[in-house]
Amino acid sequence: MKRTKLLWSLLTMILVGGMSVVISSCGEDDTPAPTLQVDSTSVTIDAEGTSVSIIIKAENTEWDAEVINGVEWLKASKSGNALSLSATKNAEAKERKGAVVVTAKADNKLNYTITVTQKGATAFITINGTTSGYHEFPGAFTGGKDGTDYKVVFKINSNVEWTLSGQVNWLNISPERGNGEVDLTVYPTSENNSDEEREAKLVLSGSGSNDTITVIQKNGLSKVYALPANAIALYDRFCWEYSATPNINTFQYIFLSETNYKKMTENELIEAIKKEEVLKYDDDWLTTKGYDSNGNRITSNSTYYFVSLATDKDGKYGSLKTVKMTTPAYLDENQDAFVSFSNFSNSSYEFQFDVKKQGFCNKYHIIYGVYESSLNTAVFAFEINYYLKNKKKHWLAKNDYYEWDIMLDYPNDHTFSYTSYLMSYFPVCFGYGWGIFENGNLSSDMLGFQVDTSADSSRQMKLSRTTDSPKDEIIKRSEVMNRAKSLRK
């Protein structure tokens, strides 16, 4: 009986223990594993930093979110089953990137990395608070100042890296690149020694943003000038009228051979001109010159430069003005068409002369007559030359103090005669001819003669080699007109 009870007790213990094992074993197999899911692994936040949410699906576990690499501008927080991502405002135009790791607490091997991109702000560059800048510098420095005394500072603010373009050699600009708040310093490095203002467009560019500073340097010189007009080249001189601006007061000039002109700098030319005589400009002038500034007589088929400076009514100089002038090959029979004059004769009321074609002369223009003896030879030559070139009367021709006849396109050698009972008033007899090639082109210049019957009836002068004094001469036309009018009285 006792043995039976003992066996029953032992069997009960075995059965109970076995059930416990079964029950325990069944409990471990039935516990669900943790899971973790995110609905996106990449998000974008605007430049203002507005928050966005990502849904997190987690089962059988809690989860954590952490910004990695210490990115201070990015914030991550839990809100129920969502992850809220936000950022501080991005003031830069360039976008920036960060990352957040979401990890299951029950199993840290369950994790996701979410890439966060924050957009950049709209690119901007401002100049003194606006989108452009402007400044004017004087053309001339006064009171012993130099360019640095005129410097100006532009306040630049930007959210992009910018670089500057449009630099010019007459401006100093610093710095030429920057970002954020920058002081941009600009000043002229030299005076503007011209009669035109100059301009620079300084462009600040970065990330598609472009802003411009316009810098003007005013003209340091007046716009005044005096230049030769209607110029002609005679054999040993040039003749011209002056063309000048209305506000002119005085002018000075030099006359240089091509060799000497090319040796001189602009400053040397200015200094040389300022040593010349100051001429008051108050009338229309004619001028002649037989020698260059070195005392060398001008020659045929050569280049010369007329260089001048003028001042305005306020005494301010204009810019240096230069005119290139070339003498023709007058007496070269292999190149030119011209006429020769011979057999001069005259009485108290008539003179005669012969004209013969020379070189390649096919036909010619001829003009002849008388004028008063005080008229400058070269000036008159200028007038006739202008008349023949333009086939219209010039200013001397409008004033009846000489007489002439003219023949155009005369084809043959011929003896011409002129009769005038006014030869006592107009004692200078003259004749000028201009050769014409077969193709219709005019010769390089005219040749002629002048006979002053009041001084010496046998005196003959060819325009190609005038016997006038080889000095600079400036002649007021009003004075010439007055002399002529006095003879008519």
Side-chain angles (χ1 to χ4, degrees):
M1 185 68 177
K2 290 182 179 179
R3 180 179 291 184
T4 300
K5 290 181 178 179
L6 181 61
L7 289 171
W8 180 251
S9 296
L10 181 60
L11 180 59
T12 300
M13 291 176 64
I14 293 170
L15 289 172
V16 172
M19 290 178 64
S20 298
V21 171
V22 172
I23 293 169
S24 175
S25 178
C26 290
E28 290 179 2
D29 292 341
D30 293 342
T31 301
T35 62
L36 183 67
Q37 290 181 330
V38 298
D39 65 358
S40 177
T41 57
S42 177
V43 295
T44 300
I45 301 176
D46 62 27
E48 294 296 320
T50 305
S51 64
V52 297
S53 293
I54 297 177
I55 302 301
I56 307 296
K57 295 179 181 180
E59 294 183 0
N60 304 318
T61 183
E62 295 294 324
W63 55 273
D64 284 327
E66 180 182 6
V67 177
I68 63 174
N69 296 330
V71 177
E72 296 181 354
W73 55 267
L74 180 59
K75 295 180 181 180
S77 61
K78 295 176 62 176
S79 178
N81 67 337
L83 172 63
S84 178
L85 298 173
S86 63
T88 59
K89 183 177 180 178
N90 185 5
E92 298 292 326
K94 186 178 181 181
E95 68 177 22
R96 53 191 180 184
K97 292 183 180 293
V100 175
V101 175
V102 178
T103 306
K105 287 185 177 182
D107 185 356
N108 60 12
K109 292 182 180 179
L110 290 177
N111 62 75
Y112 290 91
T113 299
I114 300 171
T115 301
V116 181
T117 301
Q118 185 178 20
K119 292 181 179 180
T122 302
F124 73 86
I125 303 171
T126 63
I127 303 164
N128 293 340
T130 67
T131 57
S132 63
Y134 181 86
H135 188 75
E136 288 185 0
F137 291 113
F141 304 154
T142 59
K145 295 179 180 180
D146 60 24
T148 58
D149 295 308
Y150 296 93
K151 69 180 178 182
V152 62
V153 176
F154 295 95
K155 296 290 184 180
I156 311 299
N157 190 18
S158 68
N159 64 348
V160 296
E161 180 78 21
W162 54 263
T163 57
L164 184 141
S165 61
Q167 297 92 328
V168 291
N169 59 10
W170 51 271
L171 282 180
N172 182 282
I173 308 165
S174 180
E176 295 187 359
R177 64 179 61 248
N179 194 358
E181 295 183 358
V182 176
D183 284 348
L184 181 70
T185 302
V186 181
Y187 63 85
T189 57
S190 62
E191 295 181 298
N192 181 10
N193 292 319
S194 75
D195 56 12
E196 298 290 339
E197 67 181 25
R198 53 190 180 184
E199 178 182 280
K201 294 284 189 181
L202 308 179
V203 181
L204 284 66
S205 304
S207 299
S209 181
N210 296 280
D211 294 272
T212 302
I213 300 173
T214 301
V215 178
I216 301 291
Q217 188 174 30
K218 304 298 287 184
N219 49 305
L221 300 177
S222 173
K223 291 184 178 294
V224 68
Y225 65 82
L227 290 174
N230 300 324
I232 64 159
L234 303 179
Y235 177 79
D236 59 355
R237 65 194 61 214
F238 290 106
C239 299
W240 56 76
E241 288 181 300
Y242 273 107
S243 171
T245 50
N247 61 331
I248 189 171
N249 183 33
T250 65
F251 68 98
Q252 295 158 275
Y253 75 93
I254 56 174
F255 191 66
L256 296 170
S257 65
E258 185 172 35
T259 300
N260 289 330
Y261 174 78
K262 291 184 175 181
K263 287 180 181 178
M264 299 176 71
T265 65
E266 182 173 304
N267 287 336
E268 288 173 338
L269 287 170
I270 291 173
E271 291 303 313
I273 292 172
K274 288 183 177 180
K275 294 177 182 178
E276 297 294 323
E277 181 184 0
V278 177
L279 305 170
K280 185 72 175 177
Y281 194 100
D282 57 5
D283 201 338
D284 294 323
W285 300 60
L286 299 173
T287 183
T288 69
K289 185 158 187 169
Y291 292 77
D292 69 16
S293 60
N294 289 335
N296 300 315
R297 181 171 174 169
I298 64 174
T299 58
S300 61
N301 203 28
S302 301
T303 299
Y304 296 88
Y305 290 83
F306 172 92
V307 193
S308 66
L309 282 174
T311 62
D312 60 22
K313 303 297 184 181
D314 297 323
K316 188 177 182 180
Y317 272 103
S319 60
L320 197 69
K321 298 295 183 182
T322 302
V323 175
K324 183 179 178 181
M325 307 172 81
T326 303
T327 57
Y330 289 94
L331 303 178
D332 189 340
E333 295 185 8
N334 295 320
Q335 299 182 34
D336 216 347
F338 60 99
V339 295
S340 62
F341 299 92
S342 61
N343 299 325
F344 305 103
S345 64
N346 65 276
S347 65
S348 60
Y349 58 88
E350 183 182 46
F351 72 92
Q352 289 186 343
F353 59 94
D354 293 339
V355 175
K356 184 176 179 61
K357 295 188 292 184
Q358 301 288 338
F360 292 94
C361 185
N362 181 48
K363 50 188 177 180
Y364 55 91
H365 301 324
I366 181 74
I367 187 169
Y368 54 99
V370 293
Y371 64 84
E372 56 101 353
S373 57
S374 63
L375 187 62
N376 177 275
T377 303
V379 170
F380 187 74
F382 162 76
E383 290 296 336
I384 301 304
N385 202 315
Y386 180 87
Y387 179 91
L388 292 176
K389 277 187 176 181
N390 297 280
K391 295 183 180 176
K392 61 183 180 181
K393 290 185 177 181
H394 201 33
W395 67 268
L396 283 178
K398 295 177 182 178
N399 297 274
D400 187 22
Y401 59 91
Y402 60 84
E403 299 178 336
W404 66 11
D405 287 337
I406 186 167
M407 300 294 292
L408 299 178
D409 300 335
Y410 204 82
N412 305 314
D413 298 343
H414 188 69
T415 298
F416 292 88
S417 63
Y418 189 85
T419 301
S420 174
Y421 294 98
L422 294 174
M423 287 182 67
S424 59
Y425 290 99
F426 300 97
V428 178
C429 305
F430 70 88
Y432 298 105
W434 199 332
I436 304 173
F437 291 92
E438 188 173 359
N439 61 7
N441 291 337
L442 293 175
S443 61
S444 56
D445 200 49
M446 63 182 172
L447 300 177
F449 72 89
Q450 295 174 354
V451 178
D452 189 344
T453 60
S454 66
D456 182 355
S457 60
S458 64
R459 179 183 176 206
Q460 300 175 12
M461 295 185 294
K462 285 187 177 181
L463 179 61
S464 59
R465 286 182 170 84
T466 69
T467 57
D468 289 353
S469 176
K471 64 181 181 181
D472 298 354
E473 295 181 82
I474 297 191
I475 302 170
K476 282 188 179 181
R477 68 174 64 180
S478 60
E479 293 178 357
V480 175
M481 292 177 182
N482 290 335
R483 287 199 305 270
K485 288 177 181 178
S486 67
L487 290 173
R488 282 292 185 183
K489 294 178 180 178

